[in-house]
Amino acid sequence: MATVDLYLLTEITIVRMTRELTFERVPVTGEFLRIDAGGLFPQLVTEVVHDVDGSIRVVLGISKNSDGTIDFWETEAELDEDVSELQDAGWVIASKGPNNSWKK
C-alpha cells in the first residue's frame, strides 16, 4: 500500500489529490501510471519516497512537454471536471490553491 499524491494544475490553480493505492511492485521515477477514473490519461511518476517506517509515497503529475515546458490542463473548467471524476473514484483533495510555483 502506498500513499499517492497527484498534482493537477493550470497556470492559475494547483490541486493536490491523494489516495491509498496498492501496487504489484513499487513504481519508479519516470514511469507512467494509468489513473483509471473517467478515462484520465497516464500520469508521470515524478518522485517515490521510501520512509524509515516502511511507508511509501508516490508523487504523480507535474510532467513536462518535449520542449521542457510544464504540461498544464487547458482550462479551469477541465481541471474542475477531472477533479470531480477523481473524487468519484475515491481520490480526496488534499489542497487546492493558486499556482505560484510553476508557470509556462
Side-chain angles (χ1 to χ4, degrees):
M1 179 87 62
T3 300
V4 179
D5 289 331
L6 172 61
Y7 286 87
L8 309 172
L9 53 129
T10 67
E11 286 194 76
I12 299 167
T13 306
I14 185 167
V15 178
R16 180 172 62 95
M17 302 192 76
T18 190
R19 184 171 179 191
E20 295 291 322
L21 293 176
T22 301
F23 298 101
E24 288 184 24
R25 65 168 181 75
V26 177
V28 296
T29 302
E31 181 177 3
F32 282 89
L33 294 179
R34 177 161 170 68
I35 302 301
D36 195 18
L40 287 178
F41 49 88
Q43 293 293 311
L44 179 68
V45 176
T46 58
E47 185 175 357
V48 178
V49 178
H50 298 264
D51 207 342
V52 294
D53 66 2
S55 64
I56 300 169
R57 179 170 301 270
V58 177
V59 179
L60 305 175
I62 317 297
S63 59
K64 293 186 178 183
N65 295 310
S66 59
D67 62 1
T69 58
I70 298 292
D71 190 18
F72 293 101
W73 264 246
E74 293 295 319
T75 66
E76 293 295 308
E78 288 176 347
L79 176 67
D80 291 342
E81 183 179 311
D82 287 345
V83 166
S84 178
E85 289 175 1
L86 286 162
Q87 285 178 305
D88 290 345
W91 290 79
V92 176
I93 296 175
S95 64
K96 182 177 182 178
N99 178 8
N100 297 322
S101 301
W102 292 284
K103 302 292 179 192
K104 278 193 175 179

